[in-house]
Amino acid sequence: MVFGIFETLTFACLVLLLGFYIVKKVKFFRDYNIPEPVVGGFLTATLLYLIYYFFGLSFQFESSLQTAMMLIFFSSIGLSADFAKLKQGGKPLLLFIGVTGIFIFFQNLFGISIAKLIGLDPSYGLIAGSITLTGGHGTGAAWAENLTKTFHIEGAMELAMACATYGLVMGGIIGGPVANFLLKKKNIQPVTQSNGNDVLLETFENPISKRRMNVHNVIETLTMLAICVTVGQVLYETMKGSNFELPNFVWSLLIGVIIRNVLSRTTSYVVNDHAVDVLGNTGLYLFLTVALMSLQLWQLSGLASQVLIILLLQTGALILFVIFVTYRVMGKDYDAIVLSAGHCGFGLGATPTAIANMQAVTHRYGPSHKAFLIVPMVGAFFVDIINNVVIKLYVAFLSM
C-alpha cells in the first residue's frame, strides 16, 4: 500500500499524537527521556511488521516529507547558533569542544575495530559509532541512505534507529551513576543548596530573547528556514563529487549559522528563538516519526546480537573516557562532574539527554552555571559539525 505526501503527513501526525499519549501515561518512557516520535514510531513499525508477517501486506510512505522535515530541523540548529554567546564560554568551551572531538574520533575507531573482531563488516561499526550514538536519530537517519549506497548495507535505516534508541536510553541511565562515582571517589564537595539564581539554567530552558509568536514572526522564521534549505540544497548539488562534498543537512545548518550571525551583527533584527525552536522541533518530530514508522523491521534479523555487543562495549568505553579524560581535562571540580554527566548524555544519546543528566545532578548537589552554558552550545551545534566531518573522513577511508 502506497501513501502519498498528504496521507503520510496525516498518518505521521496521528502516530506522533499516539507517542505523546503513551509517554504521558507510561512512567518508564518519561524517566528515561524517550522521545514521543520514537515511542509512537517504533510501536507503529512493530504493528506494521505484524501485519506484514501475518498478512503479507506492506506499507510505503512518501520519503520527500521525511527529507524536508530533516532539513528544516538542521536549519533551525544553525539559526539558533549565536556566536556572541561563545565569548562567555572562554577556554573551558574550547577544551570541551576538543574533548568531544577526540571522543568522536575514538568512538568510530573503536566501533570499527570491534566490528572487525566479531566478524562484521566495518561499516556496521561506523553505524554503531558516532553516527547514531553521538549523532542520535537525526544524524543516523540522515546518513543511513549514504551508507546504504556506499557499502550496500541492508536495513541501514532500521539499524541506525535501533542503535540511536539504545544510545538515548543508555545515555540517560549512565549519567547520574557516573557523576555519583566521581563525587564519592574524588572526594568532591558539591554545593548542597541552590542559591536561587540559576540564570543560565533558566535561560537555556526559557530563553530571555523569547518573543511572543504571531503570524508575522512565524512567517519571518519560516522564510529563513526556507532559504537555509534551498541554498543548502543548491550548495549540496554544486559540491557533490568535490573535496567539499557534505550532506545536504550540513549545508543547511551552515547557512543557518551565517544568516543568524550576519543579522545579529549588521542589523537590529532579533531572530525569534521561540519560533525557531517550535518550527525546528516540529520538523524534528515529524522527521523522526516518518523515519521510524517506515521501518522494515524484518531486515534486522541476524544482526541484533552482534551489533548489541558493539553498543555495550561503546557504553563502557564512554564511561571510561568520561571518568579518565573529560573529568580531568575539564578541571576535576564540581563543574567538571556536571559536564561529565552531560557528556554521557550526548556521547550516547542527544543534547536533551545531556541536559536531563545535568539537571539530575544539580537538583541534588547545587547549580553549575559553567556546565549549562557550555553543554547546550557544544551539544546542539559544534557536535554536529565535528561529527559529520569525522564521519565523512571514516566513510572515505572505508570506501577506499
Short mmCIF file of all heavy atoms in Angstrom, two decimals, residues 119-152:
data_model
loop_
_atom_site.label_atom_id
_atom_site.label_comp_id
_atom_site.label_asym_id
_atom_site.label_seq_id
_atom_site.Cartn_x
_atom_site.Cartn_y
_atom_site.Cartn_z
N GLY A 119 33.67 -10.22 13.33
CA GLY A 119 33.35 -10.73 12.00
C GLY A 119 32.31 -9.95 11.23
O GLY A 119 31.79 -10.45 10.23
N LEU A 120 32.02 -8.72 11.64
CA LEU A 120 31.07 -7.88 10.91
C LEU A 120 31.82 -6.97 9.94
O LEU A 120 33.01 -6.69 10.13
CB LEU A 120 30.26 -7.01 11.86
CG LEU A 120 29.03 -7.61 12.54
CD1 LEU A 120 28.39 -6.58 13.44
CD2 LEU A 120 28.01 -8.10 11.51
N ASP A 121 31.12 -6.52 8.91
CA ASP A 121 31.68 -5.51 8.03
C ASP A 121 31.98 -4.26 8.85
O ASP A 121 31.16 -3.85 9.69
CB ASP A 121 30.68 -5.18 6.91
CG ASP A 121 31.26 -4.26 5.86
OD1 ASP A 121 31.44 -3.06 6.17
OD2 ASP A 121 31.54 -4.73 4.75
N PRO A 122 33.14 -3.62 8.66
CA PRO A 122 33.50 -2.43 9.46
C PRO A 122 32.47 -1.31 9.41
O PRO A 122 32.35 -0.54 10.37
CB PRO A 122 34.82 -1.98 8.83
CG PRO A 122 35.39 -3.21 8.22
CD PRO A 122 34.21 -4.01 7.74
N SER A 123 31.70 -1.23 8.33
CA SER A 123 30.71 -0.17 8.22
C SER A 123 29.63 -0.29 9.28
O SER A 123 29.04 0.72 9.70
CB SER A 123 30.07 -0.17 6.83
OG SER A 123 29.49 -1.43 6.54
N TYR A 124 29.36 -1.51 9.77
CA TYR A 124 28.40 -1.66 10.85
C TYR A 124 28.93 -1.04 12.14
O TYR A 124 28.17 -0.53 12.96
CB TYR A 124 28.08 -3.14 11.07
CG TYR A 124 27.20 -3.73 9.99
CD1 TYR A 124 27.73 -4.58 9.03
CD2 TYR A 124 25.85 -3.43 9.92
CE1 TYR A 124 26.94 -5.12 8.02
CE2 TYR A 124 25.04 -3.96 8.93
CZ TYR A 124 25.60 -4.80 7.98
OH TYR A 124 24.81 -5.31 6.99
N GLY A 125 30.24 -1.11 12.33
CA GLY A 125 30.85 -0.46 13.48
C GLY A 125 30.74 1.05 13.39
O GLY A 125 30.67 1.74 14.42
N LEU A 126 30.72 1.57 12.17
CA LEU A 126 30.55 3.01 11.97
C LEU A 126 29.13 3.43 12.33
O LEU A 126 28.91 4.47 12.94
CB LEU A 126 30.86 3.37 10.52
CG LEU A 126 31.04 4.85 10.18
CD1 LEU A 126 32.16 5.46 11.00
CD2 LEU A 126 31.33 5.02 8.70
N ILE A 127 28.15 2.60 11.96
CA ILE A 127 26.76 2.88 12.32
C ILE A 127 26.59 2.85 13.84
O ILE A 127 25.91 3.68 14.43
CB ILE A 127 25.80 1.88 11.66
CG1 ILE A 127 25.80 2.08 10.14
CG2 ILE A 127 24.38 2.05 12.20
CD1 ILE A 127 24.91 1.11 9.40
N ALA A 128 27.23 1.86 14.48
CA ALA A 128 27.16 1.74 15.93
C ALA A 128 28.25 2.59 16.59
O ALA A 128 28.69 2.30 17.69
CB ALA A 128 27.32 0.28 16.36
N GLY A 129 28.67 3.64 15.90
CA GLY A 129 29.64 4.59 16.42
C GLY A 129 29.01 5.96 16.54
O GLY A 129 27.85 6.09 16.95
N SER A 130 29.74 6.99 16.15
CA SER A 130 29.26 8.35 16.38
C SER A 130 28.07 8.73 15.49
O SER A 130 27.37 9.70 15.77
CB SER A 130 30.39 9.36 16.16
OG SER A 130 30.68 9.53 14.80
N ILE A 131 27.83 7.98 14.41
CA ILE A 131 26.70 8.30 13.54
C ILE A 131 25.40 8.27 14.34
O ILE A 131 24.57 9.18 14.24
CB ILE A 131 26.62 7.32 12.35
CG1 ILE A 131 27.72 7.64 11.34
CG2 ILE A 131 25.26 7.39 11.66
CD1 ILE A 131 27.73 6.73 10.13
N THR A 132 25.21 7.23 15.13
CA THR A 132 23.97 7.09 15.88
C THR A 132 24.11 7.43 17.36
O THR A 132 23.16 7.90 17.98
CB THR A 132 23.43 5.66 15.76
OG1 THR A 132 24.41 4.75 16.28
CG2 THR A 132 23.13 5.32 14.32
N LEU A 133 25.30 7.20 17.95
CA LEU A 133 25.43 7.41 19.39
C LEU A 133 25.64 8.88 19.72
O LEU A 133 24.88 9.46 20.49
CB LEU A 133 26.57 6.54 19.93
CG LEU A 133 26.37 5.02 19.73
CD1 LEU A 133 27.50 4.24 20.37
CD2 LEU A 133 25.02 4.58 20.30
N THR A 134 26.65 9.50 19.13
CA THR A 134 26.80 10.95 19.31
C THR A 134 25.77 11.70 18.46
O THR A 134 25.23 12.71 18.90
CB THR A 134 28.22 11.39 18.92
OG1 THR A 134 29.17 10.82 19.84
CG2 THR A 134 28.35 12.91 18.97
N GLY A 135 25.50 11.20 17.27
CA GLY A 135 24.62 11.91 16.34
C GLY A 135 23.14 11.77 16.64
O GLY A 135 22.36 12.66 16.33
N GLY A 136 22.74 10.64 17.24
CA GLY A 136 21.34 10.43 17.56
C GLY A 136 20.51 10.02 16.35
O GLY A 136 21.04 9.68 15.28
N HIS A 137 19.20 10.05 16.52
CA HIS A 137 18.29 9.59 15.46
C HIS A 137 18.39 10.44 14.19
O HIS A 137 18.35 9.92 13.08
CB HIS A 137 16.84 9.63 15.97
CG HIS A 137 16.55 8.59 17.00
ND1 HIS A 137 16.79 8.79 18.34
CD2 HIS A 137 16.05 7.34 16.89
CE1 HIS A 137 16.43 7.71 19.02
NE2 HIS A 137 15.98 6.82 18.16
N GLY A 138 18.53 11.77 14.37
CA GLY A 138 18.57 12.64 13.20
C GLY A 138 19.75 12.36 12.30
O GLY A 138 19.60 12.16 11.09
N THR A 139 20.96 12.34 12.88
CA THR A 139 22.16 12.08 12.09
C THR A 139 22.18 10.65 11.58
O THR A 139 22.60 10.39 10.44
CB THR A 139 23.42 12.35 12.94
OG1 THR A 139 23.38 13.70 13.43
CG2 THR A 139 24.69 12.16 12.12
N GLY A 140 21.71 9.71 12.41
CA GLY A 140 21.67 8.32 11.99
C GLY A 140 20.79 8.12 10.77
O GLY A 140 21.18 7.46 9.80
N ALA A 141 19.61 8.71 10.80
CA ALA A 141 18.71 8.59 9.66
C ALA A 141 19.25 9.33 8.44
O ALA A 141 19.10 8.88 7.30
CB ALA A 141 17.33 9.13 10.04
N ALA A 142 19.89 10.48 8.70
CA ALA A 142 20.42 11.28 7.59
C ALA A 142 21.55 10.56 6.86
O ALA A 142 21.68 10.68 5.63
CB ALA A 142 20.91 12.63 8.11
N TRP A 143 22.38 9.81 7.59
CA TRP A 143 23.50 9.10 6.98
C TRP A 143 23.14 7.70 6.48
O TRP A 143 23.93 7.07 5.76
CB TRP A 143 24.65 8.98 7.97
CG TRP A 143 25.54 10.18 7.99
CD1 TRP A 143 25.49 11.24 8.82
CD2 TRP A 143 26.64 10.44 7.10
NE1 TRP A 143 26.47 12.16 8.52
CE2 TRP A 143 27.20 11.69 7.46
CE3 TRP A 143 27.21 9.74 6.02
CZ2 TRP A 143 28.28 12.25 6.80
CZ3 TRP A 143 28.29 10.30 5.36
CH2 TRP A 143 28.82 11.54 5.75
N ALA A 144 21.98 7.18 6.86
CA ALA A 144 21.63 5.81 6.51
C ALA A 144 21.60 5.59 5.00
O ALA A 144 22.10 4.58 4.49
CB ALA A 144 20.28 5.44 7.13
N GLU A 145 21.00 6.53 4.29
CA GLU A 145 20.91 6.39 2.83
C GLU A 145 22.30 6.40 2.20
O GLU A 145 22.60 5.61 1.29
CB GLU A 145 20.06 7.51 2.25
CG GLU A 145 19.87 7.41 0.74
CD GLU A 145 19.00 8.54 0.19
OE1 GLU A 145 18.48 9.34 1.00
OE2 GLU A 145 18.87 8.60 -1.05
N ASN A 146 23.17 7.30 2.70
CA ASN A 146 24.53 7.37 2.18
C ASN A 146 25.28 6.06 2.39
O ASN A 146 25.97 5.57 1.49
CB ASN A 146 25.27 8.52 2.87
CG ASN A 146 26.70 8.69 2.39
OD1 ASN A 146 27.56 7.85 2.67
ND2 ASN A 146 26.97 9.78 1.70
N LEU A 147 25.14 5.47 3.58
CA LEU A 147 25.84 4.21 3.88
C LEU A 147 25.27 3.06 3.08
O LEU A 147 26.01 2.14 2.69
CB LEU A 147 25.74 3.92 5.38
CG LEU A 147 26.44 4.92 6.30
CD1 LEU A 147 26.22 4.54 7.75
CD2 LEU A 147 27.93 5.00 6.00
N THR A 148 23.97 3.09 2.84
CA THR A 148 23.36 2.04 2.03
C THR A 148 23.92 2.05 0.62
O THR A 148 24.25 0.99 0.05
CB THR A 148 21.83 2.22 1.98
OG1 THR A 148 21.30 2.14 3.30
CG2 THR A 148 21.18 1.15 1.11
N LYS A 149 24.07 3.24 0.04
CA LYS A 149 24.61 3.35 -1.31
C LYS A 149 26.10 3.03 -1.36
O LYS A 149 26.58 2.40 -2.29
CB LYS A 149 24.36 4.76 -1.85
CG LYS A 149 22.91 5.09 -2.09
CD LYS A 149 22.75 6.52 -2.60
CE LYS A 149 21.30 6.87 -2.85
NZ LYS A 149 21.13 8.28 -3.31
N THR A 150 26.84 3.48 -0.34
CA THR A 150 28.30 3.33 -0.36
C THR A 150 28.75 1.91 -0.04
O THR A 150 29.63 1.37 -0.70
CB THR A 150 28.94 4.30 0.65
OG1 THR A 150 28.52 5.64 0.35
CG2 THR A 150 30.47 4.23 0.57
N PHE A 151 28.12 1.30 0.97
CA PHE A 151 28.58 -0.01 1.45
C PHE A 151 27.57 -1.13 1.19
O PHE A 151 27.81 -2.26 1.60
CB PHE A 151 28.89 0.06 2.95
CG PHE A 151 29.92 1.09 3.31
CD1 PHE A 151 29.57 2.25 3.98
CD2 PHE A 151 31.25 0.91 2.96
CE1 PHE A 151 30.53 3.21 4.30
CE2 PHE A 151 32.22 1.86 3.28
CZ PHE A 151 31.84 3.01 3.95
N HIS A 152 26.43 -0.80 0.54
CA HIS A 152 25.40 -1.79 0.21
C HIS A 152 24.91 -2.52 1.46
O HIS A 152 24.76 -3.75 1.48
CB HIS A 152 25.93 -2.79 -0.82
CG HIS A 152 26.55 -2.14 -2.02
ND1 HIS A 152 25.80 -1.45 -2.96
CD2 HIS A 152 27.85 -2.05 -2.44
CE1 HIS A 152 26.60 -0.97 -3.91
NE2 HIS A 152 27.85 -1.31 -3.60
#
